[in-house]
Amino acid sequence: MHMIQRRDFLTQLSLATAAISLPQVAFPSAPKADEFVEVAITHGRIRGMRKEGVNLFKGIPYGGRISGDRRFRRPAPLEKWTGVRDALEFGAPAIQNPRRNEPAPSEDCLFLNVWTPANDHKKRPVLFYSHGGGFVVGSGASGGQDGSNLARNFDVVVVETNHRLGLLGFLYLDDIGGPDYAGSGNMGMLDIVDGLKWVHDNIAQFGGDPANVMIWGESGGGAKTSCLYAMPSAAPYFNKASIESGPGVRMTPKETAAETTALLLKELNIDPKDWKKLLDVPAADLLAIQGKLPSVAPFLGKNTKGAVLRRAGGFGPVVDGVVLPHHPFDPTAPALSKNKPLLVGWNEDEYTFFAWERKDTEFAKLDFDGLQKRLEPQYGEDTPKLIAAYRKARPNATAPQLYIAISSIAMMGLGSVDIAEKKVKEGGAPVYLYNFGYKSEKPIPGTDYPMGTPHAMDISFKFNNEIPPRDGSAPKESFFGGNRPERFVASHHFAELWTTFARTGKPAAKDVPQWPAYNLKTRPTMRIDAQCEIIDNRFSQELAMWRSIGKL
């Protein structure tokens, strides 16, 4: 596969592949509980389970029906229930291909999960996570995201939602649907906001502080977090944010979203004036049609002249001027969140995930002539300058190493730096820039090239799920993280930095250097590993080149 810069990477893969090919960790659907726990919430009583020092509540409904005449609209009111409702099984994920060890996908998917040390009214920080998978796949029970260790080891409350995805969550009908379908292009994001409202109304019952909520997410979840950071409806319900390997600088303009809707109607042979026939199309058929439409980035790049690129196809948040008033970080950081601290960053070897997932072994055989040929389709006449800058900055690097470095920063690094710089220029709350750098020794299948720090490897690390077994048995090899015991230290650092940020607004951890806020003079970046370090002006030569060719 040719080298793909950030916007084209997202266009081709639409961030949908991001984290969808991770093996699904087998969360037991009904583990044996140490005891059961009941709690009263706004709509009735629920029963969860206590297991190894953590109370877990699965599949709590936070919104009503979104099928039938509620398709593409706001949910029906959630009805209260009598008696005690079990919250012992994960709720249905949004419509997508079936997910191993999870319930069958369903249109009615508005469920969330809560992990807490205790339902004791202690005001713990709340970590509200949006799953990856672009805007088309994933769930709040995705592999690696079990919140038990974060809750147990760092005394926080973790919440994860299911919400509408794909065309059922992001089909733009505002121009043809009338007032009942206002905001239709952002139903999936408004679902997440409803999850945040649920937290505001209920999380005190779970030992969480509704006045101290951090939104965070990886890959597509980072892009969702970028949107929430700029959405007026979300603003009252969170206090800080973290955008991880998913810098959502720009989203889909409504004009492009309208073109996508036209493409869909044409594919289904539905006249625009008869668009309501969409309400009768089975969800499975809509999913199949979704796969036939051109894949497009859920957030868009710019060309070298600064114009936002427009490509019809694909589904993600729409800059409709109301729900999402403007691009999240273009032309500036959102004034709405000026006083909310932010973490942003990426993994050092993002592309190795996609090499693994796409079975791309050819990159590992590149020489420097081959490197130029592989980059030229994306960078044209700028290719020699780009390679020269990287060879100067990294004189000992091989051609495959430079390919991974260029691909990885183009995918997730440039947008992350852009966000950090714009947040600094706003002059409000601090922003902290990071690189995750723990190196997995596992080779990419078919090559001798190590995974390093691939896209999505941060999930299990920041959730503190890289940890020796509690029963004292020998540790199993981590799927991406490998076998080295240093991974346990790196995971603890990552989790402690994030939970401290959630608690105080400033990331810190024992045995980790003090992390200065990002600024435009020294540009400090935290490199997260078994031994963390602060690096000033990291990638300065490389970033200067990206700026010179109009990519940053």
Side-chain angles (χ1 to χ4, degrees):
M1 186 168 68
H2 293 304
M3 176 352 188
I4 40 184
Q5 64 197 62
R6 176 177 168 270
R7 65 171 180 265
D8 294 297
F9 148 72
L10 294 171
T11 299
Q12 293 179 32
L13 298 179
S14 148
L15 258 187
T17 56
I20 66 174
S21 295
L22 281 172
Q24 297 300 314
V25 173
F27 295 135
S29 60
K32 183 179 179 182
D34 295 337
E35 59 184 287
F36 294 104
V37 183
E38 288 188 14
V39 62
I41 57 176
T42 47
H43 287 75
R45 294 188 66 81
I46 57 172
R47 182 176 75 141
M49 68 185 77
R50 184 163 185 81
K51 185 70 174 175
E52 296 180 340
V54 175
N55 292 353
L56 169 56
F57 299 84
K58 299 179 181 180
I60 305 170
Y62 68 89
R65 181 174 54 82
I66 46 177
S67 59
D69 64 352
R70 288 286 174 164
R71 182 181 280 181
F72 310 126
R73 297 174 59 197
R74 299 302 298 127
L78 179 62
E79 296 181 2
K80 294 186 177 183
W81 56 86
T82 58
V84 180
R85 178 182 178 126
D86 278 346
L88 305 173
E89 306 273 355
F90 287 118
I95 291 295
Q96 57 193 289
N97 290 326
R99 299 178 61 80
R100 188 160 63 92
N101 301 312
E102 294 190 35
S106 170
E107 273 198 74
D108 291 314
C109 62
L110 302 186
F111 302 99
L112 56 78
N113 312 311
V114 180
W115 291 260
T116 180
N119 293 67
D120 56 5
H121 294 275
K122 181 179 176 182
K123 290 188 174 182
R124 297 175 178 86
V126 180
L127 283 74
F128 184 99
Y129 190 75
S130 291
H131 65 73
F135 295 96
V136 294
V137 295
S139 85
S142 294
Q145 292 171 200
D146 187 299
S148 297
N149 287 331
L150 273 186
R152 178 189 301 110
N153 298 333
F154 297 95
D155 198 34
V156 298
V157 178
V158 180
V159 181
E160 300 177 22
T161 65
N162 295 351
H163 42 268
R164 277 175 280 187
L165 299 169
L167 69 84
L168 287 167
F170 299 99
L171 181 65
Y172 182 73
L173 297 169
D174 293 45
D175 293 346
I176 60 176
D180 285 348
Y181 293 86
S184 56
N186 288 302
M187 285 297 114
M189 290 307 307
L190 289 172
D191 291 344
I192 300 174
V193 173
D194 283 348
L196 283 167
K197 290 178 182 177
W198 184 95
V199 165
H200 180 267
D201 294 341
N202 291 284
I203 208 64
Q205 300 295 105
F206 297 82
D209 184 356
N212 190 13
V213 177
M214 179 180 89
I215 55 172
W216 59 318
E218 179 270 348
S219 193
K224 293 167 191 172
T225 303
S226 301
C227 290
L228 293 169
Y229 203 70
M231 288 173 59
S233 58
Y237 303 117
F238 73 92
N239 311 89
K240 52 189 75 72
S242 174
I243 299 167
E244 302 139 16
S245 294
V249 177
R250 300 169 196 91
M251 295 292 150
T252 304
K254 60 183 179 181
E255 297 81 7
T256 305
E259 292 172 14
T260 300
T261 302
L263 280 176
L264 173 70
L265 293 172
K266 184 177 181 181
E267 186 73 28
L268 289 167
N269 294 313
I270 295 175
D271 189 284
K273 70 176 184 297
D274 297 323
W275 70 268
K276 277 201 170 184
K277 290 182 178 179
L278 286 171
L279 302 181
D280 299 321
V281 178
D285 293 349
L286 291 179
L287 181 63
I289 293 292
Q290 176 179 301
K292 292 181 180 179
L293 296 180
S295 177
V296 71
F299 46 91
L300 305 179
K302 286 187 174 183
N303 64 21
T304 55
K305 297 180 181 179
V308 175
L309 296 170
R310 292 179 55 194
R311 295 188 180 95
F315 296 95
V318 178
V319 183
D320 61 6
V322 180
V323 177
L324 188 58
H326 47 73
H327 293 293
F329 287 91
D330 184 47
T332 63
L336 192 69
S337 293
K338 178 178 180 179
N339 296 317
K340 297 180 179 183
L342 180 65
L343 282 168
V344 63
W346 74 99
N347 298 352
E348 289 179 351
D349 306 299
E350 299 272 1
Y351 183 80
T352 59
F353 171 95
F354 300 97
W356 164 77
E357 194 233 6
R358 307 280 290 196
K359 296 181 172 58
D360 175 13
T361 58
E362 293 303 308
F363 84 89
K365 305 172 186 175
L366 291 174
D367 57 19
F368 285 104
D369 287 339
L371 177 64
Q372 177 156 330
K373 290 177 182 177
R374 190 150 168 158
L375 295 176
E376 278 178 344
Q378 294 302 320
Y379 297 106
E381 63 184 14
D382 292 323
T383 305
K385 292 187 292 183
L386 185 61
I387 294 174
Y390 268 78
R391 293 192 74 173
K392 181 179 180 181
R394 307 170 189 222
N396 298 320
T398 65
Q401 287 171 337
L402 291 188
Y403 180 72
I404 295 298
I406 292 169
S407 303
S408 298
I409 200 169
M411 287 175 172
M412 302 297 174
L414 300 182
S416 299
V417 171
D418 190 18
I419 285 173
E421 291 179 348
K422 286 172 176 172
K423 181 67 176 171
V424 169
K425 290 175 182 176
E426 191 177 42
V431 57
Y432 300 89
L433 185 67
Y434 78 90
N435 296 140
F436 180 41
Y438 177 82
K439 299 302 178 190
S440 170
E441 77 282 6
K442 292 189 68 172
I444 297 170
T447 78
D448 294 326
Y449 200 95
M451 293 293 293
T453 318
H455 187 71
M457 191 174 87
D458 56 308
I459 298 173
S460 62
F461 278 73
K462 69 196 179 193
F463 274 90
N464 200 212
N465 288 333
E466 299 288 342
I467 193 168
R470 290 171 58 80
D471 62 7
S473 60
K476 295 181 180 179
E477 182 180 58
S478 168
F479 185 82
F480 278 153
N483 264 321
R484 294 191 296 118
E486 290 87 350
R487 71 186 188 276
F488 304 139
V489 180
S491 178
H492 194 278
H493 288 334
F494 208 150
E496 187 176 359
L497 287 166
W498 259 240
T499 52
T500 304
F501 177 73
R503 183 168 277 108
T504 68
K506 181 176 175 60
K510 184 181 179 182
D511 300 324
V512 170
Q514 182 177 345
W515 188 347
Y518 195 71
N519 64 77
L520 300 182
K521 183 177 181 181
T522 59
R523 300 177 183 271
T525 301
M526 173 66 81
R527 184 179 184 276
I528 300 170
D529 201 337
Q531 287 190 315
C532 298
E533 60 179 323
I534 296 295
I535 304 174
D536 286 342
N537 290 307
R538 192 170 199 206
F539 306 127
S540 58
Q541 294 181 63
E542 297 95 321
L543 291 175
M545 171 51 63
W546 289 111
R547 288 189 178 93
S548 75
I549 62 175
K551 306 301 183 185
L552 177 59

